[in-house]
Amino acid sequence: MASFLRALRSELRLIAGRRRNQVGLLVLMSLPVLIAIATKESTRHGGDNRGGPDFFDQITSNGLFVALAALGVEIGLFLPMALALISGDAIAGEAQTGTLRYVLTVPVGRVRLLAVKYAALLLAGLLACAAVAFTGGVVGAALFGTGSATTLSGSQIGVGATVWRILLATLYVAAGMAAVAAIGLFLSTLTEQPIAVVVMVMVVIAGSWILDAIPQVAWLHPWLVVDRWPAFADLMRDPPRWGTIRAGLGVDAAYAVVFLLAAWARFTSKDITS
Amino acid sequence: MPPSADAPDLAVRTQGLSKAFGGRAVVRDLDLAVPRGAVYGFLGPNGSGKTTTIRMLLGLVGADAGSIEVLGAPIPEGARTVLPRVGALVEGPGFHPYFTGRANLERLDRLDASADPAGSAARIGAALDRVGLASAAGKKFRQYSLGMKQRLAIAAALLVPRDLLVLDEPTNGLDPQGTREIRALVASLGAEGVTVLISSHLLSEIEQVCSHLGIMNTGRLVAQGRVEELRAAQTTTTIVTTARPDAAGAVLRRLGLSEVTVSGEGASGIPTGQRPADIVAALVADGVPVDGFGTRRPSLEDLFVELTGEGFDVDG
């Protein structure tokens, strides 16, 4: 266990030490700042507050909602893209730089390597979601102040309860990213081109969003990984709608399990010729 | 593992090892025997299957047929127990370009479940020292020259004390000075009792340090053994320089030398047990004016070329 944690720390250092990832995190964190400033500007100039996407209209009354608005925007593209990038680095990237053969001859068992890689992706995904929510909460609170929040059901909850629910929403979004990480890790075992992994993951995610928007394939929607991602909004109802949250977590978990098994089957039998 | 009659104490042993990629046989029925303590030169032209063999020894590539034993343990089953005692350089250095040399070694050290975390800095420092990279340890890997990259890979192979070192083309891309340093390093490791399997497509680069040689060609092992044995197995030719080549040729034939040839400057033949002194005496007795007498034994290079073919053609 101690040696697993030692390897995991090394893995996180590998991800965090890469300039591209640091810039990527800054980009993720800049979006809630943009949302907060744009909202502030539009209210100052009396721009019409047209109901907009979820949470945007609540921001002015409670800055903490910037966190949820930002998560809602970034879940569509930016967060899955971030996970696609680092999962591409995980195996395909190591194969491309030629480090994979040296890691395996250290030796690191292949199952253990997958476990370390996936654990690092989970933590990185959680960090990305938390960074978005935290930045949104802090900037929003600074620009709009906090106070009791109005839930989607119309009732009022206190600041403590709001923060708690934002925390749960962040974890829920991170669970979705765990599914993306599993898809990415599997694709990463198929190729030596990390960019190919990014493209394939984004095809899966964008394709799912498109299918999710086509009513003719409504029967397929419950099985799409993205379908219930926006359901984190249901945590802001009173009481929270736990049913959709549970179903969403179930789909995320199913995708994670299936793709991790596929990654395991592929990677443990693969000839490493990179 | 105690040495047994049919298997003397071998660090690496393969039997009937075969591998094909996409229907193309890369390694065919390979019986490799690397004795413990040997410095084994693994030779063959580019594309002869050396790297694939090495990848199989390290468990990176699965064999289609045959068995592998490394330090007494079967591969790939025993890889996890035995590989900590094996240092490897496979097909050139592979490191993270945006990490420093030291950070790259730290990465490998942290992934080693059998390494003691407390000794990490000392291990890395010692390995960097040994390959002469201590002063460049803080530089990013991408700024390293090819020779420095190669040294870092060797430092990684030497991170912990090893029983077996597998060095795949360690002199690739090195200047003559760097090649000499690698040779010195291999010789010193051999003197410490470490078994070294060193591959190269250039015999001259490793001949001096090897106690054993294995020569591969198109996936097969075409020669293997102690360097002296391979050298002794080479046929020597007796060469007589004289003004009367025909007379000399006649004497050589009469004495029973085989493949006697006569040229403008003399005659030559392959002795079949005749001692040089007797041949000279017979020549003189027959009145052949001997201007020069010598024996020529082909070099290992000749053997290598003879066994693997010449030129730039890549088999496969």
Side-chain angles (χ1 to χ4, degrees):
Chain A
M1 191 60 198
S3 66
F4 184 88
L5 290 178
R6 195 163 176 256
L8 181 57
R9 265 201 305 276
S10 165
E11 196 61 40
L12 289 171
R13 188 179 161 202
L14 188 66
I15 295 173
R18 183 150 189 192
R19 190 66 50 86
R20 183 251 275 153
N21 295 342
Q22 296 163 357
V23 172
L25 187 62
L26 284 179
V27 170
L28 288 178
M29 290 167 70
S30 66
L31 201 79
V33 178
L34 271 177
I35 290 173
I37 292 172
T39 310
K40 187 79 178 175
E41 284 301 301
S42 68
T43 48
R44 181 181 301 163
H45 297 89
D48 75 317
N49 219 343
R50 58 193 158 78
D54 282 337
F55 303 118
F56 274 78
D57 43 354
Q58 274 108 319
I59 289 176
T60 45
S61 55
N62 190 332
L64 291 176
F65 275 97
V66 173
L68 296 169
L71 282 176
V73 169
E74 301 211 25
I75 207 171
L77 181 70
F78 287 4
L79 282 170
M81 177 102 81
L83 268 293
L85 270 174
I86 55 175
S87 60
D89 290 341
I91 304 290
E94 295 250 31
Q96 195 181 45
T97 53
T99 45
L100 183 59
R101 59 179 182 269
Y102 287 106
V103 166
L104 291 176
T105 51
V106 158
V108 181
R110 296 194 188 186
V111 178
R112 185 189 174 88
L113 183 62
L114 279 180
V116 170
K117 291 283 182 187
Y118 189 62
L121 291 177
L122 283 183
L123 290 176
L126 185 60
L127 174 78
C129 297
V132 171
F134 181 78
T135 311
V138 169
V139 174
L143 288 183
F144 302 102
T146 59
S148 60
T150 309
T151 65
L152 296 179
S153 314
S155 60
Q156 297 280 314
I157 55 171
V159 175
T162 311
V163 170
W164 173 240
R165 291 192 188 200
I166 290 173
L167 198 68
L168 288 181
T170 305
L171 288 173
Y172 179 80
V173 172
M177 294 310 108
V180 177
I183 297 170
L185 191 61
F186 165 64
L187 295 172
S188 205
T189 63
L190 298 183
T191 170
E192 289 167 22
Q193 301 293 330
I195 196 72
V197 176
V198 178
V199 170
M200 287 190 286
V201 171
M202 292 325 290
V203 164
V204 170
I205 299 301
S208 298
W209 283 120
I210 291 167
L211 287 174
D212 203 47
I214 300 175
Q216 282 79 359
V217 288
W219 54 270
L220 187 62
H221 293 172
W223 306 99
L224 295 171
V225 67
V226 302
D227 183 58
R228 292 192 188 80
W229 282 358
F232 70 87
D234 288 339
L235 287 165
M236 293 310 289
R237 296 181 196 280
D238 204 20
R241 212 182 269 167
W242 295 112
T244 48
I245 295 293
R246 262 198 302 276
L249 290 176
V251 172
D252 289 336
Y255 269 81
V257 167
V258 167
F259 281 96
L260 285 178
L261 281 176
W264 170 80
R266 167 70 184 159
F267 193 55
T268 52
S269 61
K270 188 188 188 187
D271 279 343
I272 306 298
T273 53
S274 60
Chain B
M1 192 184 71
S4 59
D6 66 321
D9 209 1
L10 295 176
V12 176
R13 182 194 200 195
T14 73
Q15 290 183 304
L17 191 63
S18 301
K19 178 71 183 178
F21 285 121
R24 193 173 61 86
V26 179
V27 174
R28 299 184 239 193
D29 204 24
L30 191 71
D31 296 336
L32 212 57
V34 180
R36 281 190 200 238
V39 175
Y40 186 103
F42 194 31
L43 289 163
N46 289 322
S48 58
K50 302 188 300 290
T51 296
T52 301
T53 304
I54 284 172
R55 283 178 183 272
M56 286 194 279
L57 297 182
L58 298 170
L60 291 172
V61 165
D64 292 341
S67 65
I68 304 171
E69 267 181 33
V70 172
L71 298 174
I75 300 291
E77 298 80 11
R80 205 175 304 175
T81 56
V82 85
L83 285 186
R85 289 151 59 207
V86 179
L89 186 148
V90 192
E91 231 180 332
F95 292 101
H96 294 288
Y98 47 91
F99 268 15
T100 64
R102 184 189 304 280
N104 267 298
L105 292 189
E106 277 167 4
R107 160 102 177 127
L108 292 172
D109 192 75
R110 309 255 139 101
L111 290 173
D112 187 353
S114 64
D116 168 29
S120 181
R123 273 195 299 276
I124 291 164
L128 287 167
D129 263 343
R130 179 132 205 197
V131 298
L133 271 184
S135 60
K139 257 181 146 183
K140 290 227 163 66
F141 179 72
R142 62 192 308 167
Q143 295 165 332
Y144 277 19
S145 68
L146 191 54
M148 291 161 83
K149 289 177 177 176
Q150 200 79 6
R151 283 157 194 249
L152 188 65
I154 292 169
L158 296 174
L159 259 184
V160 292
R162 312 285 193 180
D163 293 335
L164 171 66
L165 274 179
V166 179
L167 304 175
D168 186 15
E169 302 268 3
T171 55
N172 235 2
L174 293 187
D175 53 22
Q177 176 61 23
T179 305
R180 193 174 307 163
E181 284 171 19
I182 298 289
R183 267 203 300 265
L185 184 64
V186 168
S188 75
L189 289 163
E192 288 168 26
V194 179
T195 309
V196 184
L197 173 66
I198 177 170
S199 90
S200 180
H201 60 282
L202 296 172
L203 172 72
S204 56
E205 289 201 337
I206 59 171
E207 185 183 354
Q208 294 150 270
V209 294
C210 292
S211 63
H212 290 68
L213 285 179
I215 300 178
M216 276 196 92
N217 193 27
T218 61
R220 289 180 204 282
L221 198 61
V222 287
Q224 173 171 255
R226 300 188 64 86
V227 171
E228 312 87 80
E229 288 167 11
L230 290 172
R231 218 175 252 142
Q234 295 274 75
T235 49
T236 54
T237 308
T238 295
I239 302 162
V240 184
T241 313
T242 175
R244 293 179 54 202
D246 293 325
V251 172
L252 294 182
R253 275 193 204 95
R254 198 184 70 229
L255 289 173
L257 275 74
S258 67
E259 295 182 38
V260 174
T261 55
V262 175
S263 69
E265 283 121 47
S268 64
I270 296 168
T272 53
Q274 301 82 355
R275 297 190 308 138
D278 298 337
I279 299 173
V280 175
L283 285 165
V284 173
D286 267 35
V288 176
V290 178
D291 291 330
F293 184 89
T295 56
R296 199 196 62 196
R297 173 176 283 178
S299 66
L300 280 175
E301 191 77 49
D302 295 330
L303 172 71
F304 180 53
V305 170
E306 180 193 317
L307 288 172
T308 60
E310 218 173 345
F312 294 101
D313 290 339
V314 174
D315 288 297

